[in-house]
């Protein structure tokens, strides 16, 4: 999500001449002061975005008007600004605002050039074959969760039309379901202290970008029919998108870390399980955009820490080090521009040096700057030790939503599967799903199975669905809405809630 929020400027002694370069770009004559003002104001609460990141019309018609409202500048129509001293916060004077506008308009390109892929996409099935559901449930699918549970040989999905959580058998038939207050977007399976098999599910509340806090964290007993939740761990949460099991205070009880994405408000929370029963919500960091958390002992001191991706105005990956006293010390691992639209990350050792690297994706594209962006895609940052990471690989994927690294072809190295909810449907529909085969060290060959007509993928999970010794991929179909560009007419299947790409590498007949 992309939100620009300005605060009062920092003092600066920076000066540029018309022939000096700023952020890799030579400034247009007369825009040096606007550049300095832009850096002072927006660079204090998130990474500064140089003008070259977006085209002129997007800055002029969309982003700059949106930014103006946040700094107390009035708007007449959508692109004309009003010198109104009583409007908003007044964080930027009208005179300085117009200099900032001048910098962006005069230095932005008319169009963004597409990124050049290091290796072309091969359109073939590679090691996969298609498997579809036995029947449809709804006229059109709005799948927001897909999870393969190999412990019980079941699949769980959630639909945003009906808010139902569905359970499917290994014949891909829906066996039972339960209606929730809002769609489920995260599920974690575990055995409780009595050995009973349970699931904790996060429900979003609303998909709309609002600050209505209606999300819940629910517990289900999976040994029974999906009639109702066994327990509500928390409610009235700001659009929670993930819940992660973690014993954060070393008391032997399972706690839950919740990423409350929110909108203008949100937070990272710790649901602390109490010895007498119930949970207490603790705030770790109250800012919007928390989208993905990994819980593990990063500094090897015997206490669980957190690495969290924030995907909103101040986009970043941060490490929260456990202080053993119920609090955390935060440090930045990586910082990204707010136009990235960060969408996910995973820890994996790509170069086999024993250190966990970062697989990162960006491609959320439903806010002010709704254009194809050449920096959207899949990145690998190698771990250099001491919480230092260096970019080692990038593959451009328009609107990239998620990536999962695993040894799909069983050759001893990590491959990658990606989905792109905001793909270039007109020109590159194949990039909606890509399988990156690592054929040599840090070299990936992208394959695109011919599934462009089978749906549009917003969620993905990887597991050995058929228990034949290799990893399969399930893709959830969110069939309608959020189309880029606006004049594109979707031509994919709108009814199938999900498909499975069944891995055939373990089959004896496969070569």
């Amino acid at each position: 999500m992309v939100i620009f929020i300005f605060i009062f400027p920092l003092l600066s002694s920076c000066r540029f001449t018309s022939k000096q370069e700023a952020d890799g770009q030579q400034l247009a004559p007369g825009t040096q002061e606007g550049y300095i003002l832009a850096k002072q104001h927006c660079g204090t609460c998130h990474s500064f975005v140089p003008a070259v990141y977006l085209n002129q019309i997007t800055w002029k018609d969309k982003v700059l008007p949106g930014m103006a409202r946040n700094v107390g500048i009035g708007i007449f129509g959508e692109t004309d600004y009003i010198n109104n001293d009583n409007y908003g916060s007044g964080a930027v004077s009208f005179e300085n605002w117009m200099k900032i506008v001048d910098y962006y308009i005069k230095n932005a390109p008319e169009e963004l050039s597409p990124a050049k892929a290091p290796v072309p996409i091969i359109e073939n099935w590679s090691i996969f074959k298609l498997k579809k559901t036995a029947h449809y449930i709804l006229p059109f699918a709005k799948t927001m969760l897909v999870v393969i549970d190999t412990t019980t040989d079941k699949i769980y999905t959630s639909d945003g039309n009906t808010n139902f959580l569905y359970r499917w058998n290994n014949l891909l038939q829906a066996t039972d379901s339960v209606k929730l207050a809002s769609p489920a977007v995260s599920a974690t399976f575990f055995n409780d202290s009595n050995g009973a098999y349970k699931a904790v599910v996060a429900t979003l509340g609303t998909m709309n970008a609002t600050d209505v806090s209606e999300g819940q964290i629910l517990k289900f007993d999976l040994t029974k029919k999906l009639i109702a939740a066994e327990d509500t761990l928390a409610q009235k949460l700001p659009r929670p998108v993930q819940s992660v099991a973690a014993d954060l205070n070393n008391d032997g009880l399972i706690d839950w870390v919740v990423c409350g994405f929110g909108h203008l408000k949100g937070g990272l929370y710790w649901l602390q399980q109490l010895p007498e029963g119930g949970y207490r919500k603790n705030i770790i960091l109250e800012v919007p955009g928390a989208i993905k958390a990994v819980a593990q002992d990063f500094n090897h001191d015997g206490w669980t820490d957190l690495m969290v991706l924030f995907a909103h105005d101040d986009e970043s990956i941060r490490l929260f080090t456990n202080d053993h006293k119920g609090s955390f010390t935060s440090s930045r691992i990586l910082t990204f521009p707010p136009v990235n639209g960060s969408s996910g990350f995973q820890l994996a050792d790509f170069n086999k040096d024993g250190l966990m690297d970062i697989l990162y994706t960006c491609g959320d594209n439903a806010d002010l700057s709704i254009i194809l962006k050449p920096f959207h895609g899949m990145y690998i940052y190698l771990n250099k030790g001491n919480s230092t990471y260096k970019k080692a690989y990038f593959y451009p994927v328009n609107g990239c939503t998620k990536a999962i690294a695993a040894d799909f072809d069983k050759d001893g190295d990590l491959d990658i599967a990606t989905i792109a909810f905001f793909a270039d449907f007109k020109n590159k529909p194949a990039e909606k799903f890509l399988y990156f085969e690592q054929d040599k060290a840090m070299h990936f060959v992208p394959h695109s199975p011919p599934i462009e007509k089978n749906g549009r993928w917003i969620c993905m999970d990887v597991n050995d669905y058929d228990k034949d010794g290799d990893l399969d991929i399930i893709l959830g179909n969110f069939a309608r809405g959020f189309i880029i560009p606006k004049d594109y007419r979707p031509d994919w299947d709108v009814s199938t809630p999900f498909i499975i790409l069944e891995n055939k590498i373990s089959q004896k007949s496969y070569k």
Side-chain angles (χ1 to χ4, degrees):
M1 302 290 179
V2 182
I3 300 289
F4 290 86
I5 302 175
F6 283 49
I7 62 177
F8 290 99
L10 296 177
L11 295 176
S12 174
S13 59
C14 297
R15 294 292 182 268
F16 293 89
T17 68
S18 61
K19 294 186 178 180
Q20 287 179 308
E21 292 188 355
D23 296 284
Q25 178 194 17
Q26 184 170 334
L27 295 176
T31 63
Q32 297 87 358
E33 188 175 359
Y35 164 79
I36 294 170
L37 288 167
K39 250 198 156 179
Q40 287 175 339
H41 286 278
C42 71
T44 54
C45 64
H46 57 65
S47 292
F48 168 68
V49 183
V52 292
Y53 271 59
L54 301 173
N55 59 21
Q56 288 177 358
I57 194 169
T58 301
W59 283 117
K60 179 176 180 292
D61 293 350
K62 299 295 182 180
V63 177
L64 288 170
M67 295 162 68
R69 293 183 178 96
N70 290 321
V71 298
I73 301 298
I75 301 292
F76 181 78
E78 280 299 311
T79 59
D80 298 318
Y81 304 104
I82 305 171
N83 190 356
N84 186 347
D85 293 335
N86 297 318
Y87 184 92
S89 65
V92 180
S93 70
F94 185 80
E95 180 184 4
N96 284 344
W97 170 251
M98 295 311 297
K99 292 175 182 178
I100 291 172
V101 169
D102 195 50
Y103 157 70
Y104 279 107
I105 298 301
K106 289 184 178 179
N107 288 281
E110 290 188 7
E111 296 295 337
L112 298 181
S113 300
K116 185 177 180 181
V119 180
I121 295 172
I122 300 174
E123 297 190 14
N124 63 10
W125 284 101
S126 185
I127 59 175
F128 299 100
K129 64 180 180 181
L130 177 64
K131 192 162 188 177
K132 298 174 67 175
T133 57
H135 65 280
Y136 303 147
I137 295 177
L138 301 166
F140 74 92
K142 198 175 180 180
T143 305
M144 298 180 67
L145 169 72
V146 286
V147 182
I148 301 172
D149 177 23
T150 56
T151 300
T152 60
D153 294 331
K154 297 294 189 293
I155 290 172
Y156 292 84
T157 68
S158 177
D159 184 82
N161 290 306
T162 64
N163 298 337
F164 270 92
L165 176 69
Y166 296 97
R167 177 159 52 185
W168 305 72
N169 61 22
N170 57 9
L171 298 177
L172 303 190
Q173 299 168 327
T175 58
D176 58 334
S177 61
V178 59
K179 187 174 180 62
L180 307 176
S182 62
V185 290
S186 169
T188 303
F189 307 104
F190 66 102
N191 290 101
D192 67 10
S193 57
N194 297 317
Y197 197 57
K198 305 291 178 71
V200 162
V201 172
T203 67
L204 185 61
T206 176
M207 197 171 184
N208 296 328
T210 68
D211 280 317
V212 177
S213 296
E214 299 176 342
Q216 297 178 308
I217 306 298
L218 306 173
K219 184 192 293 183
F220 288 89
D221 185 346
L222 299 184
T223 64
K224 302 176 182 179
K225 278 191 170 293
L226 294 177
I227 298 174
E230 176 187 64
D231 190 14
T232 300
L233 277 57
Q235 54 188 344
K236 297 188 182 301
L237 294 169
R239 301 172 76 201
V241 293
Q242 186 196 28
S243 55
V244 180
D247 182 4
L248 295 182
N249 56 352
N250 277 2
D251 64 354
L253 301 176
I254 298 177
D255 308 312
W256 294 89
V257 178
V258 177
C259 292
F261 191 95
H263 176 46
L264 298 179
K265 299 177 182 179
L268 179 67
Y269 306 105
W270 164 26
L271 303 183
Q272 180 183 353
Q273 186 175 174
L274 304 176
E276 64 272 19
Y279 293 81
R280 179 172 61 222
K281 185 180 80 171
N282 301 313
I283 298 171
I284 299 176
L285 181 64
E286 203 157 33
V287 298
I291 193 171
K292 174 70 182 291
V294 174
Q296 67 182 56
D297 184 5
F298 287 98
N299 60 357
H300 310 292
D301 65 350
W303 291 73
T304 300
D305 311 302
L306 303 171
M307 189 176 288
V308 183
L309 172 64
F310 289 83
H312 210 355
D313 50 349
D314 190 8
E315 300 195 16
S316 57
I317 294 178
R318 308 185 197 187
L319 179 63
F320 293 84
T321 304
N322 198 322
D323 70 355
H324 313 175
K325 300 175 183 178
S327 298
F328 298 83
T329 301
S330 174
S331 59
R332 288 176 182 267
I333 300 298
L334 294 170
T335 299
F336 311 106
V339 291
N340 264 29
S342 297
S343 53
F345 85 106
Q346 178 189 350
L347 298 179
D349 185 2
F350 281 94
N351 56 357
K352 301 180 182 180
D353 63 354
L355 300 175
M356 299 301 284
D357 310 306
I358 291 176
L359 174 64
Y360 163 80
T361 57
C362 60
D364 185 2
N365 212 358
D367 291 293
L368 295 176
S369 57
I370 304 178
I371 58 172
L372 297 174
K373 302 179 176 76
F375 45 84
H376 275 177
M378 179 261 290
Y379 296 75
I380 296 174
Y381 293 87
L382 293 181
N383 190 338
K384 299 300 182 180
N386 298 318
S387 298
T388 301
Y389 294 80
K390 182 178 180 181
K391 186 175 78 172
Y393 184 83
F394 168 66
Y395 195 95
V397 180
N398 289 294
C400 196
T401 304
K402 187 173 184 176
I404 297 178
D407 187 4
F408 290 101
D409 57 7
K410 301 181 71 173
D411 66 350
D413 56 26
L414 290 175
D415 313 299
I416 302 169
T418 66
I419 54 173
F421 186 63
F422 294 104
D424 183 356
F425 302 124
K426 271 189 169 183
N427 304 306
K428 292 183 178 180
E431 67 185 359
K432 287 194 292 182
F433 171 82
L434 293 173
Y435 161 60
F436 290 85
E437 172 196 2
Q438 187 172 187
D439 59 347
K440 56 186 177 182
M442 295 300 293
H443 184 271
F444 298 88
V445 178
H447 300 264
S448 175
I451 58 172
E452 295 95 337
K453 305 294 186 183
N454 292 105
R456 180 191 184 190
W457 322 119
I458 196 172
C459 48
M460 169 174 61
D461 192 31
V462 169
N463 217 322
D464 188 2
Y465 151 76
D466 51 9
K467 293 192 172 180
D468 65 350
D470 52 35
L471 293 171
D472 310 300
I473 301 171
I474 184 171
L475 304 175
N477 182 15
F478 193 104
R480 293 183 178 175
F482 303 104
I483 298 298
I484 301 173
K486 296 297 183 183
D487 60 349
Y488 177 79
R489 290 183 175 273
D491 59 354
W492 51 73
D493 182 347
V494 299
S495 300
T496 303
F498 66 90
I499 65 170
I500 289 179
L501 292 177
E502 193 174 281
N503 193 335
K504 57 186 182 179
I505 196 72
S506 292
Q507 297 178 12
K508 293 181 179 179
S509 60
Y510 177 75
K511 299 295 182 182

